[in-house]
Amino acid sequence: MKTAEIAQLLRLEVALDLRQRAAWGGMLLYVVSAVYVCFLAVKGGLGTATWNALYWIILLFAAFNALARSFQREEGGRQLYLYTLADPRSVVLARTVYNAITMMVLSLLSLMFYALFLGSEVLASADLPQFLLAVVLGGLGFATVLTLISAIAARAGNGLGLMAILGFPLVLPMLLAVMRASKLALDGVAWSVTSTYFGGLLLLDVITVTLAWVLFPYLWRD
Amino acid sequence: MKHWWWKSLAVALLLVASIAAFWVPLSPALVHVSPSRIAPGEVVIHVTGYNTHFTPEMRVFIENDGQQVCASMIETIDATHARIVMNVPQGLRASMSDLSVQGLLYPGAFYSDALGDGIENDGCGNVNKIELQTPGFTFPNRSILYESIRNLHFHVPMWFTMIVLMGISVWHSIKGLGDNSLDRDRKAVSAVHVGLLFCGLGLTTGAFWARATWGAFWTNDVKLNGAAVTALIYLAYLVLRGSIPDAHKRARLSAIYNVFAFMLLVLFLFVVPRLNAIDSLHPGNGGNSGFNDLDLDNRLRVIFYPAVAGWILLGTWMYDLRERSARLRELTEQ
C-alpha cells in the first residue's frame, strides 16, 4: 500500500473537482430539487417511517447521480496515462476515499435541507448521534459499492443506464440495513439493539472495499 | 460408463425421490373437531380425520389434566368422519381438554369454563389398550402444511442447486480473471443461465407453497426478498454482458461483477436471514419450528437427501450440456 501515492491521487481528485465546481453545484441542486419535489408532493406531516424512507430514497438517487461520473473522466488516452503512472489499487482506494467523503458531505447537507423542508419534528424524539452515524455509514456504504460499479459501467462504455441496472441490486443490502438502523435510531432505540446493524454495515463496507482492492487491477488493465 | 455414471445416478435419484415425494401417504391425523367448547352434560362431537379408518369399535376419550372421559356412543359416518356422544361430568380440572380418537391426539380440542376439583377417572385412557395403527412409511401430517409438505422435496433442492451452479460460475470467473481465458467465461455464463432457471423454479415452487400455507403468493419475508434480489443481480450480470461487444473485455468485466454477485448471494441467502430472522415466515427462522422438529423419525430426510443430490447432479448435467452447445456454436461461427 502506497500511502504517499494515494494521498497524491486524492489531492488530484480534489484539484480536479475544484476546477469543475459545476459538478458539486449540480449534485447539490439535484438534492435540493428532489427534497423540494417531495415537499410539494407530501404537503403536511410525515410519519417517522415515511420520513425515513423518503430521505433514503432521495439519498440513494443522489448517490447514483454523484458517483456515476467518478470514472467517466478517464476515457481513452487519459486512462492509459494514469495506468502508467500509478498503481491501480491506489487509484481505486483514492477514489473510494474521495467518494466516501463526497457522500458524507452530501448526505449531511441533504439531511439539513430535508429537515428544513419536510420538518424536523421526527428528529426531536430520535437518538441524534445514532441517526447521524447511520447517515454517515450509509453514505460511506453507497460510496464503496458504487465506486466499483461506476468503474465497471465506465469500462463497459455505457455510463448511467448500466450503472443503475448493475448498482441497484448490489446496493440493496446496504440500503436495507441502513434504513432499518436509522429507523431504530429515529425511534430512540438503545445502542445494544442498533449495534448489530451498524456492525453489519461496517462489515459490508470492509468486504466491498477489500473486493474492490482485489478486483480493480483486472478492471483497469486493457 | 466412466463418463456418464453420474448422469444415470442423477436420473435414478430423481426418479426415486420424486415418485416417493408424491407416493408416500401422509400419516393419519385429526384435522377438525367441533364444537370447540364443552360443558357438563351430553355433548355431540363431530370429528374429521385425514387418512384415517374410523370404526365404531375405536377408542375415543377426552383427556383433561391427566383424567379421562370415555365416549358413550360412537357413530362412524365414513372412514374419516365420526359422530361421538360424550357425557361430560361436572368438575373438570383444566380449561383445555385434548381429544384422542383411535390413538390420534388432537391437543387443545375443547375449552370449558365450569371447572372443579377433578372427576372420577374411568381409566379408558389406558395406553396399553389403544388400538395403535401401523401406517407404514408416511410423511408427518401437520396442520397448515398438510399435503403441501411434499413440496419440501422440490422447493428446497432448487435453491441448493442454484447455489452450487452459481458457485461453479464464480469459480470459473475467478480462474478466468487469472488466465484471461474465454473458455472460463463461457463456463461461467452457462452456469449462471442454468442457475437462473433453478432460481425461477425455486421462486415458483415457493410461491405456490406460500399460497397454500401463508395465504399469498408473495410475502414480505427476508428470504423472499433475498431471493428476488439475487435473481435481479444475476439478470443484471446478463445485461452487463449484453452491453459489451468485445469478448475479452466482456469476460473480464463480467467476471468482476460475478465475484460481487456471489458475495451478495452468500450474504442474502445465509447471513441476512440469520441477522433478522424475526421477519421470516420460513420454517427454522424467527422462532418457527423447522422441519427437523417435524421429522422426528427421519422419514422426510430419507427422501430429501436423494432429492437434493439428484437435482444438483441434474443441474450440473444441464450446465455441462449448455456449455458444450455454446462451444459448438462458437466453433461453427468461426
Side-chain angles (χ1 to χ4, degrees):
Chain A
M1 194 137 114
K2 299 160 192 159
T3 325
E5 196 175 58
I6 294 170
Q8 197 105 44
L9 282 165
L10 206 57
R11 227 170 297 144
L12 173 76
E13 292 289 314
V14 176
L16 282 175
D17 254 13
L18 280 179
R19 211 175 291 162
Q20 292 186 306
R21 263 168 242 171
W24 262 96
M27 276 192 290
L28 277 184
L29 199 59
Y30 185 91
V31 169
V32 175
S33 320
V35 169
Y36 198 68
V37 166
C38 288
F39 165 69
L40 289 179
V42 169
K43 277 184 188 161
L46 284 177
T48 316
T50 328
W51 192 92
N52 183 43
L54 211 51
Y55 172 69
W56 284 106
I57 291 170
I58 291 173
L59 203 60
L60 179 71
F61 281 90
F64 270 91
N65 196 36
L67 303 183
R69 56 186 194 90
S70 79
F71 280 91
Q72 299 289 359
R73 231 184 268 132
E74 280 77 32
E75 269 159 10
R78 273 185 79 160
Q79 188 261 329
L80 195 63
Y81 181 54
L82 198 58
Y83 182 72
T84 56
L85 285 181
D87 181 8
R89 289 188 169 143
S90 310
V91 173
V92 74
L93 270 193
R95 213 146 288 186
T96 306
V97 170
Y98 184 71
N99 284 341
I101 296 168
T102 311
M103 276 314 297
M104 277 183 211
V105 173
L106 196 64
S107 52
L108 290 174
L109 278 177
S110 30
L111 179 63
M112 215 174 70
F113 285 117
Y114 191 71
L116 189 73
F117 281 108
L118 285 143
S120 53
E121 303 89 57
V122 175
L123 291 174
S125 60
D127 187 334
L128 214 55
Q130 242 184 68
F131 181 68
L132 288 180
L133 180 67
V135 167
V136 167
L137 278 182
L140 193 76
F142 290 169
T144 51
V145 175
L146 293 182
T147 305
L148 192 67
I149 294 305
S150 93
I152 294 179
R155 301 297 281 153
N158 186 349
L160 252 177
L162 199 54
M163 168 121 175
I165 295 169
L166 299 182
F168 273 123
L170 289 190
V171 112
L172 221 92
M174 213 74 100
L175 187 70
L176 288 179
V178 84
M179 276 172 98
R180 185 66 67 89
S182 77
K183 173 70 171 52
L184 290 175
L186 285 176
D187 291 338
V189 174
W191 280 99
S192 54
V193 180
T194 48
S195 55
T196 327
Y197 293 99
F198 291 127
L201 271 174
L202 265 182
L203 191 72
L204 267 178
D205 287 354
V206 170
I207 294 173
T208 316
V209 172
T210 317
L211 274 184
W213 165 262
V214 172
L215 294 175
F216 195 73
Y218 298 105
L219 190 66
W220 204 231
R221 187 175 71 196
D222 234 350
Chain B
M1 185 68 198
K2 216 164 81 188
H3 292 294
W4 50 267
W5 66 268
W6 60 276
K7 294 173 187 172
S8 347
L9 181 66
V11 172
L13 285 173
L14 276 181
L15 274 177
V16 169
S18 303
I19 290 173
F22 281 112
W23 198 273
V24 173
L26 290 193
S27 50
L30 305 179
V31 290
H32 187 69
V33 175
S34 75
S36 55
R37 284 170 160 268
I38 48 170
E42 195 176 77
V43 179
V44 180
I45 298 163
H46 290 270
V47 179
T48 309
Y50 192 86
N51 283 353
T52 49
H53 294 282
F54 289 161
T55 56
E57 294 80 36
M58 65 190 177
R59 170 182 291 286
V60 178
F61 62 90
I62 288 177
E63 178 152 335
N64 183 289
D65 198 21
Q67 298 176 309
Q68 286 93 16
V69 187
C70 283
S72 54
M73 200 193 80
I74 299 165
E75 188 187 320
T76 48
I77 299 157
D78 55 34
T80 57
H81 293 82
R83 211 173 71 97
I84 293 155
V85 182
M86 289 225 169
N87 271 310
V88 180
Q90 298 272 357
L92 293 174
R93 266 201 305 239
S95 56
M96 298 308 289
S97 314
D98 306 336
L99 179 70
S100 174
V101 177
Q102 217 174 20
L104 304 170
L105 190 70
Y106 193 95
F110 307 111
Y111 176 81
S112 42
D113 42 21
L115 301 181
D117 301 331
I119 51 172
E120 204 174 305
N121 205 343
D122 56 13
C124 61
N126 187 346
V127 184
N128 297 329
K129 281 180 161 184
I130 291 176
E131 63 262 46
L132 273 174
Q133 298 175 329
T134 43
F137 192 86
T138 54
F139 287 148
N141 188 339
R142 278 303 171 101
S143 59
I144 301 177
L145 275 172
Y146 301 123
E147 291 280 1
S148 81
I149 201 166
R150 303 174 191 285
N151 200 4
L152 174 77
H153 307 305
F154 298 96
H155 175 64
V156 187
M158 298 301 158
W159 296 112
F160 284 24
T161 313
M162 185 198 78
I163 290 164
V164 168
L165 285 166
M166 296 316 189
I168 291 174
S169 172
V170 79
W171 165 252
H172 286 300
S173 280
I174 292 170
K175 283 295 207 182
L177 277 177
D179 59 12
N180 267 331
S181 106
L182 288 181
D183 286 349
R184 294 283 189 188
D185 183 51
R186 192 179 51 237
K187 286 178 179 163
V189 71
S190 305
V192 167
H193 276 295
V194 183
L196 270 173
L197 173 73
F198 276 93
C199 180
L201 288 174
L203 286 176
T204 318
T205 50
F208 282 108
W209 208 358
R211 180 76 184 95
T213 53
W214 303 337
F217 285 111
W218 193 267
T219 64
N220 194 6
D221 179 292
V222 261
K223 287 203 173 177
L224 267 72
N225 290 334
V229 174
T230 308
L232 279 183
I233 292 171
Y234 280 100
L235 287 172
Y237 168 82
L238 295 182
V239 170
L240 173 69
R241 297 183 61 86
S243 69
I244 309 168
D246 178 58
H248 283 279
K249 198 172 193 176
R250 178 170 62 221
R252 213 170 48 243
L253 293 189
S254 59
I256 292 170
Y257 191 77
N258 196 7
V259 174
F260 242 81
F262 192 73
M263 177 200 84
L264 282 188
L265 177 142
V266 170
L267 269 179
F268 265 124
L269 299 183
F270 297 102
V271 183
V272 178
R274 279 171 183 72
L275 267 183
N276 52 355
I278 283 169
D279 290 354
S280 187
L281 296 166
H282 273 85
N285 291 103
N288 301 330
S289 62
F291 275 97
N292 32 357
D293 301 332
L294 297 182
D295 193 25
L296 293 176
D297 45 8
N298 286 335
R299 282 174 178 172
L300 288 171
R301 281 194 184 87
V302 168
I303 314 295
F304 178 68
Y305 290 143
V308 168
W311 283 107
I312 289 177
L313 286 176
L314 183 76
T316 321
W317 186 3
M318 286 167 78
Y319 146 71
D320 187 48
L321 284 178
R322 199 178 163 95
E323 196 267 326
R324 282 156 63 193
S325 75
R327 192 166 66 212
L328 283 179
R329 214 176 305 127
E330 271 175 30
L331 285 173
T332 46
E333 273 168 13
Q334 272 169 10

